[in-house]
Amino acid sequence: MVRAWPSGVCAYNSAVVHTGIGYDVHRLVEGRPLWLGGVEIAHEKGLEGHSDADVLMHAICDAVLGAIGHGDIGSLFPPSEPQWKDAPSRIFLEKAAKLVKEAAGSIVNVDATLIAEVPKILPHVPAMKVAVAQALAIPTDRVGIKATTNELLGFLGRGEGMAGMAVAGVNLPD
Ligand code: MG
């Protein structure tokens, strides 16, 4: 069905893009591997958490879940459950994508920013895009991944942790 908007623009109203937002923080500790965007990165510290603590994938997962009005990652995969101990966060994204499908939706895109002082993220971005796209079963060019520092300010600037932010667009039936 075609709807005529006051501006004169016509739009198909069979689907509407819903947006979701996600944010996550994990503490950096010694003796843990560093997983970011589904990629293991060589670094002297890793992120602490019940799962692999992939702060970027967690933020993306919450963004996708938010777009379909679902509970957050913690309600889907409670840290109290031993089965998620050291679990690869790819599983969480796969579950979020499955929930989108069950809602008769399709993921339009995700865009995420990692906030960390070190290490350099840029060389790993292409592999992260592939890993995120595969987990969500969407084309790689629908995944945006960026990184920035916190200009040495605050807990992120002191390297005490890393933060991830993400948005997602999901087409849902009108
Ligand atoms: Mg998390």
Side-chain angles (χ1 to χ4, degrees):
M1 183 179 163
V2 178
R3 176 188 290 162
W5 295 91
S7 63
V9 175
C10 287
Y12 290 95
N13 70 346
S14 56
V16 174
V17 176
H18 294 232
T19 56
I21 185 169
Y23 174 74
D24 195 25
V25 171
H26 281 265
R27 189 185 296 268
L28 270 168
V29 293
E30 281 171 14
R32 287 269 297 179
L34 178 62
W35 283 91
L36 292 170
V39 175
E40 186 175 3
I41 296 172
H43 193 50
E44 72 241 22
K45 290 181 177 179
L47 294 171
E48 185 179 51
H50 186 62
S51 65
D52 65 7
D54 188 328
V55 72
L56 203 55
M57 277 197 164
H58 290 189
I60 293 168
C61 187
D62 266 353
V64 173
L65 293 173
I68 58 170
H70 205 285
D72 66 17
I73 190 172
S75 66
L76 270 181
F77 306 98
S80 52
E81 288 185 11
Q83 60 175 312
W84 309 125
K85 174 121 180 61
D86 296 327
S89 297
R90 166 182 46 82
I91 291 173
F92 307 153
L93 287 189
E94 287 168 356
K95 174 69 175 177
K98 189 164 171 268
L99 288 169
V100 169
K101 218 171 183 181
E102 284 170 13
S106 61
I107 298 168
V108 178
N109 77 308
V110 296
D111 187 24
T113 297
L114 178 82
I115 306 155
E117 293 299 326
V118 287
K120 283 258 175 276
I121 301 302
L122 193 60
H124 306 287
V125 166
M128 290 178 181
K129 283 187 176 187
V130 169
V132 170
Q134 279 179 351
L136 293 174
I138 59 175
T140 308
D141 62 5
R142 301 296 185 99
V143 178
I145 292 183
K146 306 174 289 328
T148 186
T149 71
N150 217 39
E151 294 290 337
L152 300 174
L153 295 168
F155 72 93
L156 294 169
R158 291 190 295 271
E160 295 167 14
M162 293 183 177
M165 304 169 69
V167 290
V170 174
N171 248 323
L172 287 172
D174 198 3

